[in-house]
Amino acid sequence: MFGLDTGFVSKQTAGLIRGILQKRYSIGESSIPLFSSPSPLYPGLELISDKGQNPIESRLLVGSIRMGYGHHRMALSVYSHSLKKNIPTYLHDLLAITSPESKAIADIDSGYSFFSRMSAEIGGPVEWIWGQLMSQGNLTSLELSCQLATLYKGLMNGIPKDSPVITTYPLNGQIAVASGFNKTIHLICDNYPQYYLLVPGALNLVQSPSSYTKFIEMGVPKDNLAVAGHWVSEDIVSNAVTDSENRVRRIDSKKIRRFLIPIGGAGAQKGYILDLLRLTKSYLTNRKAVYWINTGDHVKVLKAIEEYLIFQKIPYLSIDSWEDLLTFITRHPLRSDDNENNPPVVLFHFPTHTEAFSATDRLIRIADVLVTKPSELAFFPIPKLFIRRVGDHEAASVIRSLELGEGTVECREVMHAKELVQIFTESDDLLLRMNESIIKNTIEGIYNGSKTAVEMATAK
């Protein structure tokens, strides 16, 4: 495995875990026929499942998993580039296939989401413990994951092995390698190098030189590793310079600051955002700022924020369909003024997972500042205000953004975030410098990682 010493998991231990999974979930006892069906949101993209109507052919395969929003957002960044090049593309979500294998994986995901929420809401020792767990991806976990990947090969049953594969979650890549695919390229998700993020036997792409250097120091061979750039969707990166220039014009014209606040896939930021609304109410009511809050598909988060806004008598607008989202975007380009009659808060909510995370990518292009935990969004070309992380591994993504000059420090406390909202709304210097940095970074190709991955996967 990369030539590394991976003798941490004994054959007896691995066999025991395999036996437990096989017995509990009946894994591997039946074949899983796979089909595809067209994506309702992205023309040209086919979604693989066990319930489609089209047979599986040889074409670019993007592997991901519904585990929060991050890995699917990375997948979107990939297939947005392939579809732009008219390359037929499949999306292969491990949890979109009804099978014992996907049930076993989903049970692990539900635990991850639960503890992410507890970490964010309770803080203190719970946050510390979860942070430690999320930054301990050692060789043991990598070897165990690769052992388990051999159990899940049925999830790629019948897909032609000459299909180039790009994965955004390590288990996808490990299954592809175990299944014998000819070319597998894996995108590593953040800036904190851990062994369990790797896919032995694949080309592993990272987003920064510092991540590359650390992996090399950890013993990963250069043949299995390369720096590609940030994972950013085609529409955002191709318009990054123009959008940044328009943001500068908004600053010069003293337009109201637009803060886009997406809730993560685990729904872990509810308490933080409610406190931020309380502390910054005056900026909203005085028309210095507007908040666009994407609650995704989290009904409980939506209801909690609505109740607070009603109690505080803060006017708001609700957008709850994809069609209304597109209309809103058309009516609010960066070059436009914010009508005095527009409410200071707009809440977005969607019935499907894909609409939920895709909406943030669409709204980024018309926002001035992205307020986000340091997740996969930390690598996007828009000025960023970082709120409290969920796992300790996310701290390294803040460092990367600071290196590039397009994000703030991490605001562990809500009062700190309130102070930065004040700086963003009452002065121009910080926001101007961030936009200038983004223009420079775009010209240097920093945000071209997903484009590079597609080119590498489809090159003959």
Side-chain angles (χ1 to χ4, degrees):
M1 189 182 295
F2 292 136
L4 303 171
D5 179 11
T6 57
F8 291 86
V9 180
S10 69
K11 292 182 179 179
Q12 292 85 353
T13 302
L16 177 62
I17 294 173
R18 287 168 60 97
I20 292 172
L21 286 173
Q22 286 175 311
K23 183 176 180 180
R24 179 173 180 179
Y25 295 98
S26 302
I27 291 175
E29 293 186 0
S30 61
S31 178
I32 309 169
L34 298 180
F35 305 92
S36 73
S37 56
S39 165
L41 284 186
Y42 296 100
L45 180 69
E46 289 276 323
L47 309 178
I48 291 180
S49 73
D50 56 315
K51 298 182 179 66
Q53 60 263 40
N54 301 322
I56 304 298
E57 303 172 344
S58 178
R59 62 173 62 177
L60 177 64
L61 182 75
V62 180
S64 190
I65 188 172
R66 177 176 175 165
M67 189 171 284
Y69 294 148
H71 300 289
H72 264 266
R73 193 186 312 281
M74 289 168 60
L76 167 59
S77 76
V78 174
Y79 60 72
S80 65
H81 285 279
S82 64
L83 296 179
K84 184 70 174 181
K85 294 176 177 290
N86 295 315
I87 299 171
T89 306
Y90 288 125
L91 175 64
H92 181 262
D93 178 357
L94 295 177
L95 300 187
I97 300 166
T98 305
S99 70
E101 289 85 350
S102 61
K103 177 65 167 59
I105 298 169
D107 286 348
I108 296 173
D109 175 43
S110 63
Y112 171 86
S113 296
F114 173 77
F115 283 108
S116 293
R117 290 191 296 273
M118 292 302 99
S119 167
E121 297 299 328
I122 297 175
V126 175
E127 181 184 10
W128 181 84
I129 292 170
W130 188 239
Q132 292 296 303
L133 288 173
M134 290 297 97
S135 58
Q136 298 298 317
N138 55 21
L139 278 169
T140 304
S141 56
L142 171 60
E143 184 174 5
L144 180 58
S145 183
C146 291
Q147 291 271 354
L148 296 180
T150 63
L151 289 179
Y152 301 138
K153 290 193 294 184
L155 292 170
M156 301 191 78
N157 181 51
I159 302 174
K161 298 300 188 293
D162 62 345
S163 300
V165 180
I166 302 176
T167 57
T168 65
Y169 185 67
L171 184 58
N172 291 83
Q174 292 157 7
I175 295 171
V177 171
S179 300
F181 280 82
N182 297 342
K183 181 188 289 187
T184 301
I185 295 175
H186 175 59
L187 311 190
I188 293 179
C189 61
D190 60 24
N191 206 44
Y192 184 76
Q194 300 183 77
Y195 286 112
Y196 90 99
L197 297 175
L198 295 163
V199 176
L203 175 60
N204 293 265
L205 301 183
V206 296
Q207 299 186 81
S208 72
S210 60
S211 179
Y212 175 85
T213 300
K214 182 62 177 176
F215 273 122
I216 293 297
E217 292 173 351
M218 291 163 59
V220 179
K222 293 182 179 180
D223 289 345
N224 294 107
L225 196 66
V227 181
H230 293 190
W231 321 134
V232 180
S233 56
E234 193 280 333
D235 187 50
I236 293 175
V237 69
S238 65
N239 291 284
V241 170
T242 300
D243 290 345
S244 297
E245 291 172 345
N246 283 330
R247 291 185 183 108
V248 170
R249 293 188 186 98
R250 288 179 58 81
I251 297 168
D252 293 339
S253 301
K254 307 299 181 184
K255 296 186 186 296
I256 297 172
R257 299 285 194 264
R258 299 171 174 178
F259 292 85
L260 172 59
I261 309 174
I263 302 296
Q269 294 83 36
K270 180 183 69 175
Y272 195 106
I273 299 307
L274 289 173
D275 286 342
L276 185 62
L277 281 166
R278 174 176 57 83
L279 292 173
T280 59
K281 179 181 176 181
S282 62
Y283 299 111
L284 299 171
T285 55
N286 294 336
R287 303 296 296 172
K288 291 186 177 182
V290 294
Y291 286 174
W292 295 343
I293 305 175
N294 182 15
T295 64
D297 54 358
H298 301 295
V299 176
K300 291 182 179 179
V301 177
L302 172 69
K303 296 302 181 185
I305 296 176
E306 283 181 330
E307 289 173 4
Y308 180 81
L309 294 174
I310 292 170
F311 178 76
Q312 291 292 326
K313 296 182 172 57
I314 300 175
Y316 70 94
L317 170 69
S318 289
I319 302 289
D320 59 6
S321 75
W322 190 253
E323 292 73 20
D324 288 344
L325 168 72
L326 298 181
T327 299
F328 179 88
I329 291 171
T330 300
R331 292 176 177 174
H332 296 82
L334 280 169
R335 62 181 179 275
S336 69
D337 292 315
D338 289 282
N339 192 303
E340 291 294 330
N341 296 322
N342 288 346
V345 177
V346 181
L347 299 180
F348 299 87
H349 182 262
F350 302 93
T352 72
H353 175 79
T354 303
E355 291 174 333
F357 74 81
S358 296
T360 296
D361 285 54
R362 295 296 185 100
L363 289 165
I364 279 174
R365 290 205 51 212
I366 60 169
D368 292 311
V369 181
L370 179 65
V371 181
T372 179
K373 73 182 184 74
S375 61
E376 77 288 343
L377 289 169
F379 300 89
F380 277 53
I382 178 174
K384 288 170 286 290
L385 192 167
F386 288 117
I387 62 176
R388 187 168 60 231
R389 64 183 181 264
V390 172
D392 284 354
H393 63 102
E394 293 183 334
S397 299
V398 176
I399 294 173
R400 172 61 173 168
S401 187
L402 287 169
E403 289 173 349
L404 296 173
E406 33 93 299
T408 69
V409 297
E410 179 191 356
C411 298
R412 302 285 297 160
E413 303 299 329
V414 184
M415 181 58 72
H416 190 184
K418 179 259 183 184
E419 293 168 354
L420 279 168
V421 169
Q422 180 179 0
I423 291 172
F424 277 127
T425 54
E426 296 186 354
S427 64
D428 299 339
D429 291 348
L430 181 59
L431 207 51
L432 282 171
R433 288 202 305 272
M434 287 183 175
N435 280 293
E436 290 167 357
S437 295
I438 290 168
I439 292 172
K440 175 177 176 291
N441 297 336
T442 303
I443 293 172
E444 293 179 356
I446 296 295
Y447 307 110
N448 286 342
S450 297
K451 177 183 178 183
T452 299
V454 171
E455 291 172 348
M456 296 173 76
T458 56
K460 295 184 179 180

